[in-house]
Amino acid sequence: MHQKLVLLSGMLLALASCGSDKEATKAVADAPVYTLVFMDKTQSVHVDKNYVNDKYRQALTDIVEGNMKNKGDKLEVYFIHENTSKARALSLAVRSEKDNADGANATDLEGIETAFQLSLQKEKSIYLRQLLAKLNQQNTGASNLSTDIWASLPVIAKAGESGAQVKVYYFSDMIESVKGSDRRDFHINPPKSDSQAEEEAKADMKKLEKYAIGSPQVTIISPFEPTASTKENNPHVTHYWQTLFQELGGVSIEEL
């Protein structure tokens, strides 16, 4: 009898666990998407070059299409330069929503969905125009001399507090360049190997772990052509950022 009770309680626990896992998965799926776009506005990134502009335009189009789907989905743009954390350039949110479908028949449901999609596409086209305007905006001020990517971390941490799915996109060469004895300047002293990149990332993580960034998906959209040399597109710099974000809790770090 005792064994049957133990077995039954185990099955109930397993079912409860399975149910809670499904609920957690559904909660994540139903959570709004909070998109952060960081655009590099420093001297080393040239969006006026055809290859870069075409690549970045396509990436922004894909982001709007993929992430702005439901009411409450948000997208914010920050410029990367000397004062990144204070450089919010754009804040957008989906306002379109479906009409109440309670008691609706199949024809009504189709009409509700069509009306919603038309409204949503209109919003998306406006958002994309605004994003492309920010992409092509020039920064001729003194702030274009420094590239403070570290300063994006408190912005990501704040987005994570919203409970939304956070997706982060860097339109940048990721060449951190800030003067100071406790900072990195990859223009002057870039990592020369993956092991050095990992060592530096783990050392920097101790300074930056105060920013609880949660578990964002991080994507780097580089401005480099496929034929770029390792001197121009240093793979060890990419490895530094992949290591740093993994150490801080990022769930997916990729470079496009």
Side-chain angles (χ1 to χ4, degrees):
M1 182 67 178
H2 176 69
Q3 286 180 325
K4 286 182 179 178
L5 285 171
V6 170
L7 181 60
L8 180 60
S9 62
M11 289 171 65
L12 289 170
L13 281 170
L15 286 169
S17 174
C18 182
S20 63
D21 287 345
K22 285 180 180 177
E23 286 170 11
T25 302
K26 187 177 184 300
V28 171
D30 290 345
V33 176
Y34 197 143
T35 302
L36 290 172
V37 171
F38 292 97
M39 292 183 181
D40 199 323
K41 295 294 180 180
T42 60
Q43 286 184 330
S44 60
V45 176
H46 303 284
V47 295
D48 53 337
K49 289 186 176 179
N50 288 339
Y51 172 81
V52 179
N53 203 270
D54 290 347
K55 181 178 181 178
Y56 280 7
R57 286 172 67 93
Q58 186 58 56
L60 288 170
T61 302
D62 293 344
I63 288 167
V64 171
E65 281 300 317
N67 295 1
M68 305 293 275
K69 292 181 175 179
N70 299 293
K71 185 178 182 182
D73 289 343
K74 294 178 65 174
L75 187 154
E76 292 181 346
V77 175
Y78 284 77
F79 289 160
I80 293 174
H81 51 50
E82 182 185 42
N83 193 18
T84 302
S85 64
K86 300 291 185 182
R88 191 172 77 175
L90 196 61
S91 181
L92 307 168
V94 174
R95 294 183 175 83
S96 298
E97 61 181 323
K98 292 181 185 179
D99 290 337
N100 192 324
D102 290 348
N105 59 33
T107 303
D108 292 338
L109 287 172
E110 186 177 344
I112 289 169
E113 180 64 28
T114 300
F116 169 69
Q117 290 300 332
L118 284 171
S119 176
L120 182 61
Q121 284 304 128
K122 187 176 179 180
E123 277 194 89
K124 284 181 177 181
S125 65
I126 294 168
Y127 296 160
L128 185 58
R129 284 201 301 273
Q130 292 176 300
L131 281 168
L132 294 177
K134 293 303 177 184
L135 174 66
N136 293 312
Q137 186 174 325
Q138 297 295 312
N139 177 20
T140 56
S143 64
N144 72 9
L145 299 175
S146 296
T147 308
D148 191 356
I149 300 170
W150 281 12
S152 65
L153 296 175
V155 177
I156 298 171
K158 186 166 180 59
E161 293 171 3
S162 68
Q165 298 179 63
V166 179
K167 298 185 179 184
V168 182
Y169 301 85
Y170 289 95
F171 288 72
S172 174
D173 58 10
M174 302 305 284
I175 306 295
E176 178 85 359
S177 179
V178 179
K179 304 293 184 250
S181 58
D182 61 339
R183 296 301 303 264
R184 299 286 173 197
D185 191 336
F186 289 153
H187 278 304
I188 295 173
N189 190 24
K192 296 177 176 61
S193 66
D194 278 358
S195 59
Q196 182 187 346
E198 285 183 25
E199 186 180 316
E200 291 180 353
K202 288 176 181 178
D204 293 342
M205 192 272 289
K206 293 171 185 174
K207 307 171 197 172
L208 301 168
E209 62 184 349
K210 61 185 176 182
Y211 303 119
I213 66 170
S215 302
Q217 293 181 23
V218 180
T219 304
I220 298 166
I221 301 101
S222 78
F224 303 114
E225 296 194 39
T227 54
S229 66
T230 55
K231 184 177 180 181
E232 185 182 6
N233 184 10
N234 185 338
H236 311 308
V237 169
T238 302
H239 193 68
Y240 166 88
W241 290 109
Q242 288 174 333
T243 303
L244 182 66
F245 277 111
Q246 283 167 350
E247 291 289 322
L248 290 170
V251 294
S252 173
I253 303 96
E254 63 176 330
E255 182 181 25
L256 300 179

